[in-house]
Amino acid sequence: MDGRNIKNPNFYAITMKNKILFIVPPLSVDRRVKFANHQVPLGFLYMAGVLEKAGFVVKILDCPLYYKSRVHVNENNDKIGLSNEEITAEIKKFNPDIVGVSCSFSMFEQDSFDVVNLVKEIDKKIMVVVGGAHSSSNPEFVLRNKNIDLVVIGEGELTMLEVANNLKKNKTFSKIKGTASRAGKKIIINPPREPIKDLDNYEPAWHLIDFGKYFEHPDNSAATIRKPSITLITSRGCPGNCAFCSVQTVWGRRWRAISAKKVVDQIEYLYSEKGVRHFRINDDNLTIDKKRIIEICNEIVKRKLDIKWDTPSGVAMWALDEEVLAAMKKSGYYRITFGIESGSYNTLKYIGKNIDLKKAKNIISLAHKLGLWTASFFIIGFPYETKEDIKKTEEFIIN
């Protein structure tokens, strides 16, 4: 048939080649958009690092990286990235056992589905796994696509390793923690996998990507003070409980971090070996541990790393003070972003955002005093939000 045990659709009876291909799908955009916002696929790089140590051969196909390749979808939209023909050629050439497809954003779900469907058209025996924030938040919804064999919920490193090992040993996938799958017409969602405790033991497989292509991408120097730039994540998890945020579905609420020394080891490697001069630290809570963030900054200064860095996803404002901000500034930090979200306490209460607006103003003033650029995120249009609430947000932004 299609190589699977008929009695158990999650049981693959194939001779495994130990090959896993991760694909970032091409992205659908308005035709006026010249290129998609793009960063290195850190999730895939971390999973690849674990899988390679276990003896698997891994490849990453980052389709939107090839932004000059465009397909006209209709009069309003293009798809940026490798064409179906180019993707097909890569899949056939690599001949993988498993294809992992990122499905991180709801607006790009169909792009992920297009790649999933393409994989099964090429070879039904290939196991298709999807993951990312959107998949983790809505596994039942994503599994309506019958070409998806498994959804990984949350952190992917250990889950993907178990999936690959089970395929290699012809074992079932139905009870793997942190996954969702179909059993006939039913959707089975397994218990979550325990969060990884010691992140120091995990490193991205940097050798799998062509740094030159990322450095040449127009987005690499967008909104940066130096180039080339790269994105890093040094901690995972958020103890907050904001109603609008999906971060917890991937990282959970327990905050875990790479040690200060390991963080700067990675920065130094990318600085010395790859020529990176600007680092985008995309943690959700980089500054939550005062001692750690000061250690990171002091280590950067101690090693004389002439870098610039910022935090595009924001920082934990409640953990900031002059000592922390001064240490960050001294180490090359130049722009701070705050996730304030609203100038109305009614709205902040509704969304579960514990922000003291008076302290926010004081921290912004302190950042200006130290010579840091400041930016903030705001959202309007929450359910039950009144025009008066929106007006308060407008006034907060102006003032």
Side-chain angles (χ1 to χ4, degrees), residues 12-40:
Y12 281 62
I14 62 174
T15 301
M16 189 165 181
K17 302 174 289 294
N18 292 352
K19 290 185 176 182
I20 299 164
L21 175 64
F22 290 122
I23 301 179
V24 182
L27 300 177
S28 295
V29 297
D30 186 289
R31 286 191 67 177
R32 293 168 293 183
V33 175
K34 293 182 179 180
F35 58 88
N37 179 20
H38 202 58
Q39 300 171 356
V40 293

PDB file of all heavy atoms in Angstrom, residues 12-40:
ATOM      1  N   TYR A  12       4.810   2.824  10.643  1.00  0.00           N
ATOM      2  CA  TYR A  12       5.434   2.808   9.328  1.00  0.00           C
ATOM      3  C   TYR A  12       6.340   1.583   9.193  1.00  0.00           C
ATOM      4  O   TYR A  12       7.259   1.414   9.994  1.00  0.00           O
ATOM      5  CB  TYR A  12       6.277   4.069   9.128  1.00  0.00           C
ATOM      6  CG  TYR A  12       5.465   5.278   8.781  1.00  0.00           C
ATOM      7  CD1 TYR A  12       4.513   5.769   9.652  1.00  0.00           C
ATOM      8  CD2 TYR A  12       5.643   5.943   7.579  1.00  0.00           C
ATOM      9  CE1 TYR A  12       3.758   6.881   9.348  1.00  0.00           C
ATOM     10  CE2 TYR A  12       4.906   7.064   7.268  1.00  0.00           C
ATOM     11  CZ  TYR A  12       3.978   7.519   8.158  1.00  0.00           C
ATOM     12  OH  TYR A  12       3.238   8.626   7.856  1.00  0.00           O
ATOM     13  N   ALA A  13       6.048   0.762   8.192  1.00  0.00           N
ATOM     14  CA  ALA A  13       6.874  -0.423   7.949  1.00  0.00           C
ATOM     15  C   ALA A  13       7.776  -0.162   6.755  1.00  0.00           C
ATOM     16  O   ALA A  13       7.517  -0.592   5.639  1.00  0.00           O
ATOM     17  CB  ALA A  13       5.998  -1.636   7.706  1.00  0.00           C
ATOM     18  N   ILE A  14       8.831   0.614   6.974  1.00  0.00           N
ATOM     19  CA  ILE A  14       9.724   0.962   5.874  1.00  0.00           C
ATOM     20  C   ILE A  14      11.167   0.790   6.314  1.00  0.00           C
ATOM     21  O   ILE A  14      11.458   0.699   7.500  1.00  0.00           O
ATOM     22  CB  ILE A  14       9.508   2.428   5.406  1.00  0.00           C
ATOM     23  CG1 ILE A  14       9.823   3.392   6.545  1.00  0.00           C
ATOM     24  CG2 ILE A  14       8.111   2.631   4.882  1.00  0.00           C
ATOM     25  CD1 ILE A  14       9.773   4.838   6.137  1.00  0.00           C
ATOM     26  N   THR A  15      12.024   0.730   5.375  1.00  0.00           N
ATOM     27  CA  THR A  15      13.457   0.710   5.682  1.00  0.00           C
ATOM     28  C   THR A  15      13.928   2.154   5.763  1.00  0.00           C
ATOM     29  O   THR A  15      13.909   2.889   4.782  1.00  0.00           O
ATOM     30  CB  THR A  15      14.230  -0.032   4.579  1.00  0.00           C
ATOM     31  OG1 THR A  15      13.730  -1.358   4.486  1.00  0.00           O
ATOM     32  CG2 THR A  15      15.707  -0.066   4.924  1.00  0.00           C
ATOM     33  N   MET A  16      14.357   2.572   6.936  1.00  0.00           N
ATOM     34  CA  MET A  16      14.671   3.981   7.151  1.00  0.00           C
ATOM     35  C   MET A  16      16.080   4.325   6.695  1.00  0.00           C
ATOM     36  O   MET A  16      17.017   3.565   6.891  1.00  0.00           O
ATOM     37  CB  MET A  16      14.498   4.338   8.622  1.00  0.00           C
ATOM     38  CG  MET A  16      14.594   5.836   8.888  1.00  0.00           C
ATOM     39  SD  MET A  16      13.969   6.298  10.490  1.00  0.00           S
ATOM     40  CE  MET A  16      14.214   8.074  10.442  1.00  0.00           C
ATOM     41  N   LYS A  17      16.201   5.507   6.088  1.00  0.00           N
ATOM     42  CA  LYS A  17      17.488   6.002   5.601  1.00  0.00           C
ATOM     43  C   LYS A  17      18.103   6.986   6.590  1.00  0.00           C
ATOM     44  O   LYS A  17      19.160   7.549   6.349  1.00  0.00           O
ATOM     45  CB  LYS A  17      17.277   6.674   4.238  1.00  0.00           C
ATOM     46  CG  LYS A  17      16.662   5.743   3.190  1.00  0.00           C
ATOM     47  CD  LYS A  17      16.325   6.469   1.901  1.00  0.00           C
ATOM     48  CE  LYS A  17      15.139   7.402   2.055  1.00  0.00           C
ATOM     49  NZ  LYS A  17      13.863   6.701   2.333  1.00  0.00           N
ATOM     50  N   ASN A  18      17.390   7.227   7.706  1.00  0.00           N
ATOM     51  CA  ASN A  18      17.866   8.150   8.749  1.00  0.00           C
ATOM     52  C   ASN A  18      17.992   9.575   8.237  1.00  0.00           C
ATOM     53  O   ASN A  18      18.873  10.321   8.663  1.00  0.00           O
ATOM     54  CB  ASN A  18      19.208   7.686   9.332  1.00  0.00           C
ATOM     55  CG  ASN A  18      19.088   6.406  10.129  1.00  0.00           C
ATOM     56  OD1 ASN A  18      17.985   5.928  10.382  1.00  0.00           O
ATOM     57  ND2 ASN A  18      20.215   5.851  10.513  1.00  0.00           N
ATOM     58  N   LYS A  19      17.094   9.984   7.319  1.00  0.00           N
ATOM     59  CA  LYS A  19      17.146  11.328   6.754  1.00  0.00           C
ATOM     60  C   LYS A  19      15.902  12.124   7.140  1.00  0.00           C
ATOM     61  O   LYS A  19      14.781  11.647   6.993  1.00  0.00           O
ATOM     62  CB  LYS A  19      17.256  11.265   5.233  1.00  0.00           C
ATOM     63  CG  LYS A  19      18.599  10.762   4.723  1.00  0.00           C
ATOM     64  CD  LYS A  19      18.638  10.861   3.205  1.00  0.00           C
ATOM     65  CE  LYS A  19      19.994  10.459   2.650  1.00  0.00           C
ATOM     66  NZ  LYS A  19      20.033  10.615   1.185  1.00  0.00           N
ATOM     67  N   ILE A  20      16.150  13.343   7.608  1.00  0.00           N
ATOM     68  CA  ILE A  20      15.052  14.226   8.009  1.00  0.00           C
ATOM     69  C   ILE A  20      15.242  15.577   7.331  1.00  0.00           C
ATOM     70  O   ILE A  20      16.315  16.181   7.419  1.00  0.00           O
ATOM     71  CB  ILE A  20      15.027  14.394   9.538  1.00  0.00           C
ATOM     72  CG1 ILE A  20      14.804  13.027  10.202  1.00  0.00           C
ATOM     73  CG2 ILE A  20      13.935  15.376   9.956  1.00  0.00           C
ATOM     74  CD1 ILE A  20      15.143  12.989  11.664  1.00  0.00           C
ATOM     75  N   LEU A  21      14.198  16.032   6.668  1.00  0.00           N
ATOM     76  CA  LEU A  21      14.225  17.316   5.966  1.00  0.00           C
ATOM     77  C   LEU A  21      13.248  18.272   6.638  1.00  0.00           C
ATOM     78  O   LEU A  21      12.067  17.949   6.808  1.00  0.00           O
ATOM     79  CB  LEU A  21      13.834  17.130   4.498  1.00  0.00           C
ATOM     80  CG  LEU A  21      13.688  18.400   3.646  1.00  0.00           C
ATOM     81  CD1 LEU A  21      15.009  19.130   3.524  1.00  0.00           C
ATOM     82  CD2 LEU A  21      13.130  18.059   2.261  1.00  0.00           C
ATOM     83  N   PHE A  22      13.735  19.437   7.046  1.00  0.00           N
ATOM     84  CA  PHE A  22      12.880  20.481   7.602  1.00  0.00           C
ATOM     85  C   PHE A  22      12.638  21.543   6.527  1.00  0.00           C
ATOM     86  O   PHE A  22      13.583  21.988   5.866  1.00  0.00           O
ATOM     87  CB  PHE A  22      13.532  21.128   8.820  1.00  0.00           C
ATOM     88  CG  PHE A  22      13.591  20.235  10.032  1.00  0.00           C
ATOM     89  CD1 PHE A  22      14.812  19.942  10.630  1.00  0.00           C
ATOM     90  CD2 PHE A  22      12.437  19.697  10.579  1.00  0.00           C
ATOM     91  CE1 PHE A  22      14.877  19.134  11.754  1.00  0.00           C
ATOM     92  CE2 PHE A  22      12.485  18.884  11.703  1.00  0.00           C
ATOM     93  CZ  PHE A  22      13.708  18.594  12.289  1.00  0.00           C
ATOM     94  N   ILE A  23      11.381  21.942   6.380  1.00  0.00           N
ATOM     95  CA  ILE A  23      11.028  22.918   5.343  1.00  0.00           C
ATOM     96  C   ILE A  23      10.308  24.118   5.954  1.00  0.00           C
ATOM     97  O   ILE A  23       9.311  23.969   6.659  1.00  0.00           O
ATOM     98  CB  ILE A  23      10.130  22.296   4.252  1.00  0.00           C
ATOM     99  CG1 ILE A  23      10.843  21.115   3.580  1.00  0.00           C
ATOM    100  CG2 ILE A  23       9.742  23.352   3.222  1.00  0.00           C
ATOM    101  CD1 ILE A  23       9.999  20.426   2.500  1.00  0.00           C
ATOM    102  N   VAL A  24      10.839  25.316   5.673  1.00  0.00           N
ATOM    103  CA  VAL A  24      10.124  26.558   5.936  1.00  0.00           C
ATOM    104  C   VAL A  24       9.379  26.892   4.643  1.00  0.00           C
ATOM    105  O   VAL A  24      10.009  27.110   3.606  1.00  0.00           O
ATOM    106  CB  VAL A  24      11.082  27.708   6.297  1.00  0.00           C
ATOM    107  CG1 VAL A  24      10.283  28.969   6.619  1.00  0.00           C
ATOM    108  CG2 VAL A  24      11.975  27.321   7.467  1.00  0.00           C
ATOM    109  N   PRO A  25       8.041  26.916   4.641  1.00  0.00           N
ATOM    110  CA  PRO A  25       7.273  27.082   3.398  1.00  0.00           C
ATOM    111  C   PRO A  25       7.450  28.462   2.773  1.00  0.00           C
ATOM    112  O   PRO A  25       7.728  29.441   3.472  1.00  0.00           O
ATOM    113  CB  PRO A  25       5.818  26.889   3.841  1.00  0.00           C
ATOM    114  CG  PRO A  25       5.887  26.237   5.180  1.00  0.00           C
ATOM    115  CD  PRO A  25       7.172  26.724   5.800  1.00  0.00           C
ATOM    116  N   PRO A  26       7.273  28.552   1.455  1.00  0.00           N
ATOM    117  CA  PRO A  26       7.169  29.871   0.819  1.00  0.00           C
ATOM    118  C   PRO A  26       5.994  30.625   1.438  1.00  0.00           C
ATOM    119  O   PRO A  26       5.038  30.002   1.926  1.00  0.00           O
ATOM    120  CB  PRO A  26       6.898  29.534  -0.658  1.00  0.00           C
ATOM    121  CG  PRO A  26       7.334  28.120  -0.825  1.00  0.00           C
ATOM    122  CD  PRO A  26       7.106  27.448   0.485  1.00  0.00           C
ATOM    123  N   LEU A  27       6.042  31.942   1.429  1.00  0.00           N
ATOM    124  CA  LEU A  27       5.027  32.736   2.119  1.00  0.00           C
ATOM    125  C   LEU A  27       4.193  33.564   1.149  1.00  0.00           C
ATOM    126  O   LEU A  27       4.731  34.216   0.252  1.00  0.00           O
ATOM    127  CB  LEU A  27       5.690  33.665   3.129  1.00  0.00           C
ATOM    128  CG  LEU A  27       6.512  32.992   4.233  1.00  0.00           C
ATOM    129  CD1 LEU A  27       7.168  34.045   5.114  1.00  0.00           C
ATOM    130  CD2 LEU A  27       5.663  32.048   5.062  1.00  0.00           C
ATOM    131  N   SER A  28       2.879  33.546   1.333  1.00  0.00           N
ATOM    132  CA  SER A  28       1.973  34.349   0.512  1.00  0.00           C
ATOM    133  C   SER A  28       1.931  35.778   1.039  1.00  0.00           C
ATOM    134  O   SER A  28       1.727  36.006   2.238  1.00  0.00           O
ATOM    135  CB  SER A  28       0.564  33.754   0.540  1.00  0.00           C
ATOM    136  OG  SER A  28       0.548  32.481  -0.063  1.00  0.00           O
ATOM    137  N   VAL A  29       2.125  36.731   0.133  1.00  0.00           N
ATOM    138  CA  VAL A  29       2.162  38.141   0.529  1.00  0.00           C
ATOM    139  C   VAL A  29       1.434  38.978  -0.521  1.00  0.00           C
ATOM    140  O   VAL A  29       1.156  38.523  -1.633  1.00  0.00           O
ATOM    141  CB  VAL A  29       3.618  38.659   0.650  1.00  0.00           C
ATOM    142  CG1 VAL A  29       4.358  37.912   1.742  1.00  0.00           C
ATOM    143  CG2 VAL A  29       4.351  38.536  -0.679  1.00  0.00           C
ATOM    144  N   ASP A  30       1.126  40.200  -0.139  1.00  0.00           N
ATOM    145  CA  ASP A  30       0.605  41.169  -1.093  1.00  0.00           C
ATOM    146  C   ASP A  30       1.641  41.367  -2.197  1.00  0.00           C
ATOM    147  O   ASP A  30       2.848  41.423  -1.925  1.00  0.00           O
ATOM    148  CB  ASP A  30       0.334  42.496  -0.368  1.00  0.00           C
ATOM    149  CG  ASP A  30      -0.340  43.523  -1.262  1.00  0.00           C
ATOM    150  OD1 ASP A  30       0.335  44.035  -2.182  1.00  0.00           O
ATOM    151  OD2 ASP A  30      -1.507  43.824  -1.016  1.00  0.00           O
ATOM    152  N   ARG A  31       1.209  41.484  -3.427  1.00  0.00           N
ATOM    153  CA  ARG A  31       2.131  41.577  -4.571  1.00  0.00           C
ATOM    154  C   ARG A  31       3.060  42.779  -4.477  1.00  0.00           C
ATOM    155  O   ARG A  31       4.129  42.803  -5.088  1.00  0.00           O
ATOM    156  CB  ARG A  31       1.358  41.625  -5.889  1.00  0.00           C
ATOM    157  CG  ARG A  31       0.759  40.274  -6.276  1.00  0.00           C
ATOM    158  CD  ARG A  31       0.234  40.288  -7.687  1.00  0.00           C
ATOM    159  NE  ARG A  31       1.320  40.426  -8.661  1.00  0.00           N
ATOM    160  CZ  ARG A  31       1.122  40.414  -9.980  1.00  0.00           C
ATOM    161  NH1 ARG A  31      -0.100  40.267 -10.472  1.00  0.00           N
ATOM    162  NH2 ARG A  31       2.138  40.537 -10.798  1.00  0.00           N
ATOM    163  N   ARG A  32       2.663  43.785  -3.697  1.00  0.00           N
ATOM    164  CA  ARG A  32       3.496  44.983  -3.566  1.00  0.00           C
ATOM    165  C   ARG A  32       4.678  44.762  -2.623  1.00  0.00           C
ATOM    166  O   ARG A  32       5.612  45.560  -2.604  1.00  0.00           O
ATOM    167  CB  ARG A  32       2.650  46.152  -3.064  1.00  0.00           C
ATOM    168  CG  ARG A  32       1.598  46.637  -4.058  1.00  0.00           C
ATOM    169  CD  ARG A  32       0.615  47.578  -3.417  1.00  0.00           C
ATOM    170  NE  ARG A  32      -0.208  46.898  -2.426  1.00  0.00           N
ATOM    171  CZ  ARG A  32      -1.203  47.473  -1.747  1.00  0.00           C
ATOM    172  NH1 ARG A  32      -1.490  48.746  -1.957  1.00  0.00           N
ATOM    173  NH2 ARG A  32      -1.903  46.789  -0.858  1.00  0.00           N
ATOM    174  N   VAL A  33       4.623  43.687  -1.839  1.00  0.00           N
ATOM    175  CA  VAL A  33       5.706  43.385  -0.896  1.00  0.00           C
ATOM    176  C   VAL A  33       6.902  42.814  -1.648  1.00  0.00           C
ATOM    177  O   VAL A  33       6.766  41.871  -2.423  1.00  0.00           O
ATOM    178  CB  VAL A  33       5.226  42.375   0.169  1.00  0.00           C
ATOM    179  CG1 VAL A  33       6.385  41.958   1.072  1.00  0.00           C
ATOM    180  CG2 VAL A  33       4.096  42.978   0.999  1.00  0.00           C
ATOM    181  N   LYS A  34       8.084  43.390  -1.423  1.00  0.00           N
ATOM    182  CA  LYS A  34       9.272  42.960  -2.166  1.00  0.00           C
ATOM    183  C   LYS A  34       9.920  41.722  -1.560  1.00  0.00           C
ATOM    184  O   LYS A  34      10.511  40.918  -2.264  1.00  0.00           O
ATOM    185  CB  LYS A  34      10.283  44.105  -2.233  1.00  0.00           C
ATOM    186  CG  LYS A  34       9.791  45.292  -3.073  1.00  0.00           C
ATOM    187  CD  LYS A  34      10.851  46.385  -3.156  1.00  0.00           C
ATOM    188  CE  LYS A  34      10.356  47.547  -4.013  1.00  0.00           C
ATOM    189  NZ  LYS A  34      11.372  48.626  -4.107  1.00  0.00           N
ATOM    190  N   PHE A  35       9.844  41.587  -0.230  1.00  0.00           N
ATOM    191  CA  PHE A  35      10.408  40.415   0.422  1.00  0.00           C
ATOM    192  C   PHE A  35       9.709  40.221   1.758  1.00  0.00           C
ATOM    193  O   PHE A  35       9.147  41.156   2.330  1.00  0.00           O
ATOM    194  CB  PHE A  35      11.923  40.557   0.646  1.00  0.00           C
ATOM    195  CG  PHE A  35      12.318  41.752   1.465  1.00  0.00           C
ATOM    196  CD1 PHE A  35      12.385  41.678   2.848  1.00  0.00           C
ATOM    197  CD2 PHE A  35      12.627  42.959   0.852  1.00  0.00           C
ATOM    198  CE1 PHE A  35      12.741  42.777   3.614  1.00  0.00           C
ATOM    199  CE2 PHE A  35      12.994  44.071   1.608  1.00  0.00           C
ATOM    200  CZ  PHE A  35      13.049  43.972   2.995  1.00  0.00           C
ATOM    201  N   ALA A  36       9.738  38.980   2.251  1.00  0.00           N
ATOM    202  CA  ALA A  36       9.092  38.678   3.519  1.00  0.00           C
ATOM    203  C   ALA A  36      10.062  38.908   4.676  1.00  0.00           C
ATOM    204  O   ALA A  36      11.260  38.710   4.537  1.00  0.00           O
ATOM    205  CB  ALA A  36       8.609  37.223   3.521  1.00  0.00           C
ATOM    206  N   ASN A  37       9.526  39.337   5.812  1.00  0.00           N
ATOM    207  CA  ASN A  37      10.316  39.449   7.028  1.00  0.00           C
ATOM    208  C   ASN A  37      10.915  38.080   7.336  1.00  0.00           C
ATOM    209  O   ASN A  37      10.194  37.101   7.458  1.00  0.00           O
ATOM    210  CB  ASN A  37       9.401  39.912   8.168  1.00  0.00           C
ATOM    211  CG  ASN A  37      10.135  40.036   9.481  1.00  0.00           C
ATOM    212  OD1 ASN A  37      11.359  40.148   9.505  1.00  0.00           O
ATOM    213  ND2 ASN A  37       9.402  40.017  10.570  1.00  0.00           N
ATOM    214  N   HIS A  38      12.251  38.001   7.449  1.00  0.00           N
ATOM    215  CA  HIS A  38      12.848  36.679   7.519  1.00  0.00           C
ATOM    216  C   HIS A  38      14.039  36.600   8.462  1.00  0.00           C
ATOM    217  O   HIS A  38      14.843  37.514   8.538  1.00  0.00           O
ATOM    218  CB  HIS A  38      13.280  36.227   6.124  1.00  0.00           C
ATOM    219  CG  HIS A  38      13.398  34.750   6.011  1.00  0.00           C
ATOM    220  ND1 HIS A  38      12.343  33.906   6.275  1.00  0.00           N
ATOM    221  CD2 HIS A  38      14.436  33.958   5.724  1.00  0.00           C
ATOM    222  CE1 HIS A  38      12.738  32.661   6.119  1.00  0.00           C
ATOM    223  NE2 HIS A  38      14.012  32.661   5.798  1.00  0.00           N
ATOM    224  N   GLN A  39      14.116  35.465   9.175  1.00  0.00           N
ATOM    225  CA  GLN A  39      15.194  35.233  10.125  1.00  0.00           C
ATOM    226  C   GLN A  39      15.664  33.789  10.010  1.00  0.00           C
ATOM    227  O   GLN A  39      15.009  32.955   9.396  1.00  0.00           O
ATOM    228  CB  GLN A  39      14.699  35.504  11.556  1.00  0.00           C
ATOM    229  CG  GLN A  39      14.209  36.926  11.769  1.00  0.00           C
ATOM    230  CD  GLN A  39      13.524  37.110  13.108  1.00  0.00           C
ATOM    231  OE1 GLN A  39      13.350  36.178  13.861  1.00  0.00           O
ATOM    232  NE2 GLN A  39      13.125  38.336  13.383  1.00  0.00           N
ATOM    233  N   VAL A  40      16.808  33.486  10.627  1.00  0.00           N
ATOM    234  CA  VAL A  40      17.305  32.111  10.593  1.00  0.00           C
ATOM    235  C   VAL A  40      16.305  31.200  11.305  1.00  0.00           C
ATOM    236  O   VAL A  40      15.706  31.594  12.315  1.00  0.00           O
ATOM    237  CB  VAL A  40      18.694  31.989  11.257  1.00  0.00           C
ATOM    238  CG1 VAL A  40      19.736  32.730  10.452  1.00  0.00           C
ATOM    239  CG2 VAL A  40      18.673  32.478  12.695  1.00  0.00           C
TER     240      VAL A  40
END
